Amino acid sequence: QVQLVESGGGLVQPGGSLRLSCAASGFTLDDYALAWFRQAPGKEREGLACISSDDGRTHYDDRAKGRFTISKDNAKNTLYLQIDTLKPEDTAVYYCAAVRRLGAFLMAYEYDYWGQGTQVTVSS
């Protein structure tokens, strides 16, 4: 059974950093395209970054370039999202997602499996 569990969210001051984790079970990361999304209240879920299942390359949405870094640790079967220089507008629930397809995807409808989300709040 495929399962994704996020952790690492919390309350952070503007300018701070966080590393979100997504522990995967029931599948091997290398066989799946992986991504991080976020959803703020009243807004649509938006794709931030993904890792291709073809070649392991990372891809970023324009809004995530420069401050967000996606990575994975195959030995730990865990996906990560490092967020630096946090801003109040980064406040959202952050989700990891996976799909067993070749390629790299940043649209939510492409993904079959989702975690429950972890809340990130950026405020002074």
Side-chain angles (χ1 to χ4, degrees):
Q1 180 181 358
V2 172
Q3 190 172 12
L4 301 168
V5 179
E6 301 97 335
S7 62
L11 175 62
V12 185
Q13 291 190 343
S17 297
L18 275 179
R19 189 177 79 158
L20 307 182
S21 299
C22 172
S25 59
F27 71 103
T28 302
L29 293 184
D30 271 351
D31 295 335
Y32 284 65
L34 307 165
W36 283 98
F37 291 78
R38 70 183 180 187
Q39 188 167 19
K43 295 188 177 181
E44 292 187 355
R45 192 166 298 190
E46 56 188 24
L48 298 170
C50 62
I51 297 179
S52 173
S53 56
D54 291 23
D55 54 14
R57 289 186 177 182
T58 58
H59 303 269
Y60 295 88
D61 185 84
D62 285 346
R63 66 174 62 89
K65 290 179 180 177
R67 297 191 297 118
F68 294 73
T69 304
I70 189 172
S71 63
K72 64 177 180 174
D73 185 330
N74 287 336
K76 296 182 178 180
N77 222 36
T78 300
L79 180 71
Y80 300 101
L81 184 69
Q82 176 74 32
I83 315 173
D84 297 317
T85 319
L86 279 154
K87 305 176 181 180
E89 51 263 43
D90 294 321
T91 295
V93 178
Y94 285 70
Y95 299 89
C96 60
V99 63
R100 189 167 186 170
R101 287 175 54 198
L102 291 177
F105 315 102
L106 276 175
M107 300 299 292
Y109 69 82
E110 300 277 10
Y111 288 87
D112 293 331
Y113 302 102
W114 294 84
Q116 83 289 349
T118 185
Q119 175 71 47
V120 172
T121 303
V122 185
S123 175
S124 55

